[in-house]
Amino acid sequence: MARYEPLKNLHREKNLFSSRIAVGALVCVGLSLLLIGRLVRLQVEDHRYYTTRADENRLRVTPVPPVRGLIFDRNGVVLAENRPAFVLDVVPEQVEDMPALIAQLGGLVQLTDADITRFEERVRKTPRYRGVPLRSNLSMEEVARIEVNRHDLGGVEVTAGLTRNYPLGVSAAHVIGYVGGISEADLQRIDTTAYQGLTQIGKAGVERSQEERLRGLPGAKIIEANALGRPLRELDHRPGKSGQNLVLSLDARVQQVAETALGELNGAVVALDPRNGEVIALVSKPGFDPHGFVEGIDVASYQALLEDRSRPLFNRALQGQYPPGSTVKPAMALAGLEYNVTDPEHREFCGGSMQLPGSTRRYRCWRRQGHGWMDMVSGVMHSCDIYFYQLAMTLGIDRIHDAMIQFGLGDRTGIDLPLESTGLMPSREWKRRTRAEAWYPGETLNIGIGQGYTLTTPLQLAQMTARIAMRGNGFTPHVLRASRDPASGTSIDETTTGLPPVVLSDSRHWDKVIQAMIDTAHQPGGTAYRVGSSAPYLIAAKTGTAQVAGLSQEDRVARSLEQTPLHLRDHALFIAFAPADDPQIAIAVLAEHAGHGGAVSGPIARKVMDQYLLGEVRFESPPPVVPALSRPTPRPTPEPANATP
Amino acid sequence: MPLLEVGRRTEEPSLSDWLEHWRIDSWLLVLLLLVSGLGLVVLYSASGHDTDAVWAQGKRLALGFVVMVAVAQSPPEWYRTASPWLYGVTVLLLILVLILGDAAKGAQRWLDLGVIRFQPSEMMKLAMPMLVAAYLHHRLLPPSIGTMSVALALVAVPAMLVMQQPDLGTALLMIAAGGFALFFGGLRWRWIIGAVLVVTAATPILWHQLHDYQRGRILTLINPERDPLGAGYHITQSKIAIGSGGLFGKGWLEGTQAKLDFLPESHTDFIFSVIAEEFGLIGTLFLLLLYLGIVGRGLVIALRAQDTFQRLLAAALSLKFFVYVFINIGMVIGLLPVVGVPLPLISYGGTSAVSLLAGFGMLMSIQTHRKLLSN
């Protein structure tokens, strides 16, 4: 081809050019097909994939937190509600000089160092266009002060949210509980999808046990966002489901009366409706202010609550375990009758003390000088220890255990509140298992008067009382009465769970023991006579005094009640139901270190019953001077202790 | 109407007569107007409904069309004679740019003349094929080694100057334009194949000559996940835009990728992605067809051209236009590394549109100044 041609060969040149044009055109078409192939691949074959990617790019799903359900008492009194709360937000990207702005805000609203530290921490973790809360729970006055200065507060926003409020404050805080920030531990057990947008969770009480119902389900907003993540518009709004409103069986008025009646004493009051197990009042003192937890309790305050020797966070009504003392005597009497080891007319002589055969140990009655001849009714009425020592010996620990657990002692009641304790109803088997020791006969005596190893919660005692009142019919105690869906308005009543009844071979046994309890309250000489004598309705009651471990017998002998250190004084117990002929309320009262059941706890129970049955408190408490006759006298008893009335 | 006016044309001059008079090729005009019009429509969407930008671009395009028509008025011989001067001046300007050029985006490409800022390299895209074609016009074809060496030197000098700016995209297009003139002039295949082999062999050396960002772009092309938020981000978001458009697209103004700023440079180099997202495969194929129509018409004009200069220039300009299209679309769909090549007549920006339309003016001049008898 490299021939030399002096002249231009136009024809040849044109042919060459035409063929080159053809090659060029072919190359263009070929390369275009390459582009088209790639476009088909992207736009047809992988279309679905890229559509998803595009949506992932632009769509942000923002959860919409549900409104938490409200809580009411049985009469419609609000126990927990949602209160609008104002939060001060700052949008960092709109702020030129942050330290100056914070200083300026500090002049308008209260700002603690903790607020500022927390804010600075959050600013670092949040996109700059998003508002970061600086302070929550602004007062109306603070909101107003911000609004007035709005013009030179660029980037500052006041947003309204909802915060949990407990109108009764300390009252019933142990039952209602409280909500608090979701902790790491909470995150381990909850389904986080149900908590999207939520920052709080039920921590205690009904707020915790009914968390599922109260919470509701979060909705979602689908937001279109740009490449910086800045939300531009709302594409879809799926409303969540509000939490259910709950109606509790609690009677706020009765609850407050019980709390007031306890006064300065620590202790617990549990009142049940024996006909269905509804909790009318459940008091544990001292209490605490739930609002401290809602707003995020600081470490120091929480530590103070935890370290408080009176343990305000401890729910004595269902977590506290105390010896029941003489309050077990009616149940003991029923066991004696049912196992046919005694009859109501059988008598024992109380000379103030007794000995077991072959033992030198003396078992004393709380009444040093003795009660004389006691039958079943007078034994209950006077709370004679000798009578019940004898009965316990005859029954033996196995039958006592079997009888007592039928009344629910030593086991959880199954109440719909968290953290209930079991208590303890000892048995031969239990002692072998836990202490690897045989059962000693002397221990049976102590069990017979509610001392020794026996531990019960005030709630268990209330339930036992309700069972006696209902002649064996029992119900699981519960505080939840009904739940209502705020959207549909439908209401669901909680079903009452009946328990297997205590069936006696002869129903007259019930009459006998109940009569003994009525006499306790209404017959002169009965340990609860001063409580029951003035009542316009019939009360069946039993007093009890539970010894606190740690006080030596020498001390007991040497000191009077007033001389005993407070924390070693006996607990005062009282159980009752009324009206005895038509039981509507069953109650158990425990006053820690108050010394004497009938004198201290009885009047508290009476006021609660007055309020519930009469709608007002008519009972006047007697002066807190313990009468000499019924004072727990020092006893030279060598070993475990006896109960007093 | 007077009946007696025999012998005079009774019809009003038709549109085609009018176009002929102004030496406008109607095929090219229609295709170019369609592409430009589509460009403005897409620009409105891609710029986020920025009517000012659309108006500015419209004015630039109008200027381009005026330049095109103006260029078409002069006969091709005029351009052949002028080409050495144009080339020389442009080389001087390129040297000037390197000395006192205005730095934009870290590269010296612009020359600020007070009134207008323009890129001399853009002018070189025209001057280069003109000079090579004019040089070959007087030589025997296919070119001898000597002829070819001179032609290659003519290509190499401005290409190196532009690479210094650095503007790889423009340099490539310039080399392409000059190279195509040589190719259509009959450059021997053995030399073409040889050159390809030499370039392949020299790749490692060239690799080291590249700037870091250029190397990054090539690595990113191979593996976009390498740098998903940096260089790979463009490609990834562009592919999302194109792929999510599907067969029929999301509709005009409905594309989310550009509107929500996920797609960078959506109204300049990456505007094709917006077309693909909003008009789908149907839209991209239609646009590609328009472009191929323009290239095809250019090649037809080249085939019919009456001398070597005209043939080579027409063919080189047509192919250069196709390379423009191919590199831009290829880079946007992830087939080629990201080099700054706009989508002709559609990407926002003035100089390239005006120089492109000036080139089409020359094609029209070649087409409309034919003396049919001389063939």
Side-chain angles (χ1 to χ4, degrees):
Chain A
M1 292 290 241
R3 257 176 302 157
Y4 183 71
E5 280 170 308
L7 284 171
K8 274 205 162 204
N9 184 338
L10 289 178
H11 183 67
R12 199 180 107 98
E13 194 183 309
K14 226 181 154 196
N15 278 346
L16 174 74
F17 183 70
S18 302
S19 69
R20 288 292 164 105
I21 288 279
V23 169
L26 272 176
V27 168
C28 288
V29 170
L31 291 177
S32 298
L33 287 176
L34 192 66
L35 294 180
I36 291 168
R38 181 87 174 178
L39 284 170
V40 168
R41 170 104 186 255
L42 288 172
Q43 299 193 285
V44 180
E45 284 173 37
D46 297 340
H47 170 58
R48 193 178 294 272
Y49 166 75
Y50 285 112
T51 300
T52 313
R53 294 280 307 265
D55 285 345
E56 281 170 3
N57 261 348
R58 72 192 178 99
L59 300 181
R60 302 274 182 280
V61 178
T62 310
V64 179
V67 176
R68 196 172 176 87
L70 310 179
I71 305 177
F72 302 94
D73 89 335
R74 63 164 64 207
N75 298 315
V77 173
V78 178
L79 303 178
E81 63 183 356
N82 302 309
R83 189 164 49 91
F86 294 99
V87 178
L88 178 63
D89 282 342
V90 177
V91 184
E93 86 172 355
Q94 295 172 18
V95 178
E96 279 173 24
D97 186 352
M98 187 64 86
L101 177 74
I102 289 177
Q104 195 185 352
L105 285 171
L108 298 171
V109 302
Q110 256 198 338
L111 284 182
T112 63
D113 287 343
D115 287 332
I116 293 167
T117 317
R118 194 174 50 212
F119 171 77
E120 283 168 348
E121 208 168 283
R122 283 180 181 166
V123 166
R124 277 193 291 276
K125 294 177 187 165
T126 320
R128 304 209 19 101
Y129 56 83
R130 202 172 282 170
V132 178
L134 175 59
R135 239 222 49 204
S136 52
N137 268 309
L138 298 176
S139 69
M140 287 310 290
E141 199 191 321
E142 286 176 315
V143 172
R145 251 180 276 158
I146 300 256
E147 291 303 326
V148 166
N149 292 283
R150 177 128 242 155
H151 55 277
D152 58 13
L153 290 172
V156 173
E157 286 170 4
V158 174
T159 56
L162 290 177
T163 184
R164 201 66 162 167
N165 185 45
Y166 302 99
L168 301 190
V170 179
S171 182
H174 279 291
V175 178
I176 303 161
Y178 51 85
V179 297
I182 299 171
S183 67
E184 288 294 321
D186 292 326
L187 286 174
Q188 296 298 311
R189 60 182 177 86
I190 60 173
D191 171 14
T192 48
T193 56
Y195 282 88
Q196 286 179 15
L198 285 172
T199 56
Q200 297 196 308
I201 187 171
K203 291 282 190 184
V206 170
E207 291 276 31
R208 174 162 168 180
S209 62
Q210 304 297 333
E211 169 68 17
E212 296 267 309
R213 278 180 242 230
L214 288 166
R215 183 193 63 222
L217 282 173
K221 275 190 293 194
I222 297 182
I223 304 276
E224 187 175 74
N226 68 5
L228 296 171
R230 188 195 305 267
L232 298 178
R233 62 180 172 141
E234 191 174 306
L235 296 179
D236 192 11
H237 188 122
R238 276 177 250 149
K241 198 172 172 305
S242 295
Q244 298 193 346
N245 293 339
L246 301 184
V247 177
L248 302 190
S249 57
L250 222 59
D251 185 320
R253 188 79 201 108
V254 175
Q255 176 84 16
Q256 282 172 326
V257 164
E259 285 162 0
T260 313
L262 260 171
E264 297 301 306
L265 292 168
N266 293 343
V269 178
V270 179
L272 301 175
D273 186 332
R275 298 164 296 183
N276 52 24
E278 286 183 354
V279 175
I280 297 160
L282 194 141
V283 175
S284 175
K285 279 195 104 172
F288 58 89
D289 184 358
H291 295 108
F293 293 90
V294 176
E295 282 148 32
I297 194 161
D298 59 279
V299 178
S301 312
Y302 188 59
Q303 205 61 35
L305 275 176
L306 282 180
E307 285 170 5
D308 189 330
R309 285 196 59 172
S310 65
R311 303 175 72 192
L313 297 180
F314 182 67
N315 188 344
R316 289 165 164 78
L318 38 105
Q319 290 174 269
Q321 305 185 89
Y322 307 88
S326 302
T327 58
V328 298
K329 285 174 182 171
M332 283 291 294
L334 282 167
L337 294 174
E338 185 57 21
Y339 286 110
N340 209 17
V341 298
T342 185
D343 65 74
E345 278 67 48
H346 174 81
R347 292 165 157 228
E348 296 284 350
F349 184 79
C350 170
S353 69
M354 65 171 281
Q355 272 175 287
L356 283 179
S359 163
T360 54
R361 179 171 294 170
R362 298 190 74 80
Y363 291 88
R364 292 179 181 278
C365 184
W366 66 271
R367 192 164 193 236
R368 213 175 178 184
Q369 61 272 43
H371 287 97
W373 285 102
M374 291 271 115
D375 64 5
M376 182 167 285
V377 169
S378 55
V380 169
M381 209 178 110
H382 296 287
S383 200
C384 174
D385 291 337
I386 302 298
Y387 181 88
F388 284 94
Y389 287 146
Q390 294 291 355
L391 180 56
M393 276 316 293
T394 328
L395 275 168
I397 182 60
D398 301 325
R399 288 192 284 199
I400 294 175
H401 173 262
D402 291 352
M404 290 302 158
I405 61 171
Q406 288 205 58
F407 287 96
L409 299 187
D411 196 7
R412 292 189 181 92
T413 64
I415 192 173
D416 49 353
L417 287 172
L419 303 172
E420 187 185 4
S421 298
T422 58
L424 175 63
M425 193 60 228
S427 67
R428 230 181 264 281
E429 195 274 326
W430 166 83
K431 196 177 176 201
R432 206 170 24 243
R433 182 160 40 82
T434 56
R435 313 225 161 167
E437 263 185 61
W439 187 265
Y440 302 125
E443 291 171 335
T444 309
L445 269 62
N446 281 322
I447 302 302
I449 61 162
Q451 293 290 155
Y453 303 118
T454 316
L455 291 174
T456 57
T457 65
L459 177 63
Q460 284 170 5
L461 292 182
Q463 195 196 16
M464 175 188 76
T465 312
R467 279 207 155 198
I468 295 169
M470 295 305 290
R471 293 158 181 261
N473 287 321
F475 303 91
T476 303
H478 55 276
V479 295
L480 183 62
R481 208 180 201 195
S483 52
R484 291 189 188 136
D485 190 90
S488 62
T490 54
S491 178
I492 303 161
D493 289 339
E494 279 304 294
T495 49
T496 297
T497 317
L499 298 167
V502 181
V503 181
L504 300 190
S505 53
D506 186 343
S507 69
R508 281 175 302 181
H509 296 164
W510 291 113
D511 301 337
K512 202 73 201 170
V513 171
I514 290 169
Q515 187 57 52
M517 289 176 75
I518 294 170
D519 289 351
T520 305
H522 293 280
Q523 289 296 318
T527 51
Y529 178 68
R530 282 175 316 106
V531 174
S533 60
S534 63
Y537 47 86
L538 213 51
I539 299 173
K542 184 70 197 78
T543 58
T545 301
Q547 287 190 355
V548 177
L551 190 62
S552 72
Q553 285 306 314
E554 290 69 34
D555 285 341
R556 230 170 245 293
V557 173
R559 294 177 186 172
S560 66
L561 179 67
E562 288 73 22
Q563 289 170 321
T564 309
L566 186 67
H567 69 279
L568 295 176
R569 290 184 195 171
D570 294 340
H571 299 319
L573 291 142
F574 193 85
I575 61 168
F577 61 90
D581 43 355
D582 173 27
Q584 292 171 32
I585 183 170
I587 186 166
V589 176
L590 172 122
E592 286 183 358
H593 312 299
H596 188 262
V600 180
S601 296
I604 296 168
R606 171 71 195 276
K607 285 175 186 171
V608 171
M609 291 187 290
D610 273 8
Q611 178 61 44
Y612 186 64
L613 297 172
L614 308 176
E616 56 174 330
V617 181
R618 292 190 188 164
F619 186 74
E620 300 269 331
S621 294
V625 179
V626 185
L629 221 169
S630 55
R631 181 194 292 177
T633 38
R635 293 147 294 195
T637 324
E639 246 261 303
N642 351 6
T644 53
Chain B
M1 285 281 116
L3 288 167
L4 291 174
E5 284 186 292
V6 180
R8 278 194 68 176
R9 295 177 70 168
T10 51
E11 309 147 60
E12 293 289 302
S14 71
L15 181 64
S16 61
D17 292 338
W18 187 86
L19 289 172
E20 217 167 277
H21 177 258
W22 286 105
R23 303 194 180 274
I24 293 169
D25 181 66
S26 51
W27 277 100
L28 276 179
L29 182 73
V30 169
L31 290 165
L32 292 169
L33 282 175
L34 276 174
V35 171
S36 306
L38 176 65
L40 290 178
V41 167
V42 175
L43 179 64
Y44 180 70
S45 179
S47 65
H49 306 199
D50 184 349
T51 41
D52 289 349
V54 175
W55 183 239
Q57 181 72 356
K59 281 194 288 189
R60 286 191 202 114
L61 284 168
L63 173 70
F65 277 97
V66 169
V67 168
M68 177 180 82
V69 173
V71 167
Q73 305 314 307
S74 310
E77 291 76 24
W78 195 91
Y79 293 111
R80 196 183 74 216
T81 339
S83 56
W85 298 101
L86 186 66
Y87 180 88
V89 169
T90 312
V91 167
L92 286 177
L93 286 175
L94 281 174
I95 295 167
L96 212 61
V97 163
L98 283 182
I99 297 166
L100 44 83
D102 191 13
K105 287 190 184 177
Q108 294 178 313
R109 298 175 189 178
W110 299 86
L111 205 58
D112 201 335
L113 298 182
V115 194
I116 49 159
R117 297 168 70 222
F118 86 120
Q119 283 176 276
S121 55
E122 208 52 64
M123 225 156 84
M124 188 47 88
K125 285 184 205 162
L126 274 179
M128 175 83 77
M130 280 168 74
L131 184 69
V132 174
Y135 175 71
L136 292 180
H137 180 74
H138 300 291
R139 303 295 181 279
L140 277 177
L141 295 180
S144 63
I145 294 182
T147 308
M148 195 184 63
S149 306
V150 174
L152 282 177
L154 292 175
V155 175
V157 170
M160 273 170 33
L161 288 172
V162 173
M163 293 252 234
Q164 290 299 310
Q165 289 184 357
D167 187 350
L168 190 63
T170 304
L172 280 176
L173 283 168
M174 270 166 37
I175 294 168
F180 286 140
L182 259 174
F183 169 77
F184 288 113
L187 184 64
R188 306 284 162 108
W189 283 111
R190 65 181 88 143
W191 290 337
I192 295 171
I193 293 163
V196 169
L197 289 177
V198 165
V199 169
T200 312
T203 300
I205 299 158
L206 286 173
W207 180 253
H208 288 292
Q209 293 292 310
L210 291 176
H211 287 258
D212 280 345
Y213 80 94
Q214 291 167 332
R215 253 178 266 168
R217 283 171 175 178
I218 292 167
L219 287 175
T220 301
L221 180 77
I222 299 161
N223 176 20
E225 307 304 319
R226 190 184 78 102
D227 185 11
L229 295 176
Y233 181 80
H234 287 47
I235 283 303
T236 306
Q237 294 300 338
S238 172
K239 279 158 81 175
I240 290 172
I242 296 166
S244 66
L247 204 51
F248 301 105
K250 296 174 185 171
W252 186 52
L253 303 179
E254 297 295 325
T256 57
Q257 282 288 106
K259 193 168 63 184
L260 302 175
D261 299 329
F262 290 103
L263 185 64
E265 314 254 355
S266 61
H267 61 295
T268 54
D269 287 357
F270 281 83
I271 198 163
F272 182 80
S273 313
V274 180
I275 298 172
E277 188 184 16
E278 300 194 346
F279 301 109
L281 185 65
I282 302 295
T284 54
L285 288 185
F286 176 69
L287 178 66
L288 213 52
L289 224 58
L290 289 182
Y291 280 137
L292 283 177
I294 291 167
V295 174
R297 180 63 186 168
L299 292 179
V300 166
I301 290 171
L303 268 179
R304 291 188 189 160
Q306 288 175 316
D307 67 26
T308 309
F309 170 74
Q310 295 175 31
R311 260 177 229 143
L312 297 187
L313 180 61
L317 287 176
S318 304
L319 261 262
K320 183 202 75 174
F321 182 77
F322 179 78
V323 166
Y324 243 113
V325 174
F326 180 75
I327 292 184
N328 178 273
I329 298 180
M331 114 194 156
V332 163
I333 65 180
L335 212 58
L336 299 173
V338 176
V339 287
V341 173
L343 187 63
L345 301 174
I346 292 188
S347 286
Y348 185 78
T351 324
S352 108
V354 174
S355 82
L356 272 169
L357 286 169
F360 285 111
M362 275 184 232
L363 279 170
M364 288 185 179
S365 158
I366 290 164
Q367 166 70 4
T368 54
H369 286 85
R370 281 182 302 161
K371 302 173 193 73
L372 290 171
L373 288 175
S374 74
N375 200 6

